[in-house]
Amino acid sequence: MSLSEYLIEEIRTWDVVELPQRAFHGCRHDDIGIDILNLKMSGNKWCSIDAAYAGDYAWHHTRNHQAVPYILEVLMTEQLTGIHRPKHLNGEAWAPFLGKCFPQYSGYELSREFERSIVAHIKVALGNNINGYISYGGDEIIVTDTERYLVVESSLKLPMEKTEYLKIKGGVYA
């Protein structure tokens, strides 16, 4: 993991907001830090306020597509705050921004390095009282230390085939 002075300075200008109390996490049963049987999760995890958006991540290209897909409904154990990515960095502006932060990476590795290092960047930029990151009004949220701050309220087993999931997508957790 590398720290980017460029990202640290940028984070210092971002708003700090309250994270939503309820969110969803799309995953596969064998993902690192996921225990479906005991409804537990650990580590830093991507979540969303939109169950269907979160569910799409069960088919992310980095996932084991032989493992069973799930959407987990999670609740915060306390009110958390996070940095809010400004709108001018949304969409097509995001990858070039990450490229400036992490010039040694390219492609999807830019996003991976951001996920791996965001906690360290937040702590250097703003201290220890910030527990996450949010963008797109809640479509994308990173919660740190999920074993401490999230409780898995429920799990929904999804179809193995994404085409089948897409048929029911609008109705999950509706």
Side-chain angles (χ1 to χ4, degrees), residues 95-114:
F97 169 75
L98 290 179
K100 289 179 185 175
C101 297
F102 308 110
Q104 67 275 35
Y105 295 98
S106 63
Y108 188 69
E109 284 305 308
L110 288 168
S111 180
R112 273 215 188 286
E113 184 58 20
F114 177 77

Side-chain angles (χ1 to χ4, degrees), residues 1-172:
M1 175 184 64
S2 58
L3 289 182
S4 162
E5 288 300 320
Y6 185 76
L7 180 56
I8 290 167
E9 290 306 313
E10 183 69 27
I11 286 172
R12 287 183 174 136
T13 69
W14 295 3
D15 291 336
V16 174
V17 299
E18 289 185 346
L19 297 179
Q21 289 293 110
R22 177 178 180 245
F24 301 90
H25 176 73
C27 61
R28 294 288 174 140
H29 81 273
D30 66 346
D31 283 1
I32 295 170
I34 298 295
D35 180 351
I36 294 294
L37 293 177
N38 295 303
L39 294 178
K40 302 276 185 195
M41 62 188 334
S42 62
N44 302 336
K45 298 290 182 219
W46 286 97
C47 297
S48 178
I49 59 170
D50 181 338
Y53 189 92
D56 285 344
Y57 277 89
W59 283 273
H60 193 271
H61 69 88
T62 60
R63 294 248 184 334
N64 172 8
H65 290 267
Q66 303 306 309
V68 179
Y70 284 87
I71 296 175
L72 304 180
E73 180 182 18
V74 298
L75 301 175
M76 307 288 173
T77 59
E78 59 188 82
Q79 183 59 66
L80 302 178
T81 56
I83 55 171
H84 188 270
R85 183 170 89 196
K87 289 181 181 178
H88 75 274
L89 292 175
N90 285 347
E92 292 180 10
W94 186 236
F97 169 75
L98 290 179
K100 289 179 185 175
C101 297
F102 308 110
Q104 67 275 35
Y105 295 98
S106 63
Y108 188 69
E109 284 305 308
L110 288 168
S111 180
R112 273 215 188 286
E113 184 58 20
F114 177 77
E115 179 183 358
R116 277 190 293 262
S117 68
I118 188 60
V119 174
H121 282 92
I122 291 171
K123 290 193 184 318
V124 169
L126 301 173
N128 292 321
N129 296 325
I130 310 297
N131 309 97
Y133 156 89
I134 188 168
S135 66
Y136 296 108
D139 279 349
E140 295 180 352
I141 303 166
I142 295 176
V143 178
T144 66
D145 303 316
T146 57
E147 64 277 7
R148 178 177 174 190
Y149 297 118
L150 295 182
V151 173
V152 179
E153 184 74 9
S154 65
S155 66
L156 177 65
K157 185 177 177 182
L158 300 174
M160 287 299 290
E161 298 300 321
K162 187 171 185 180
T163 54
E164 293 302 309
Y165 167 69
L166 292 174
K167 291 177 187 175
I168 65 163
K169 178 178 171 177
V172 296

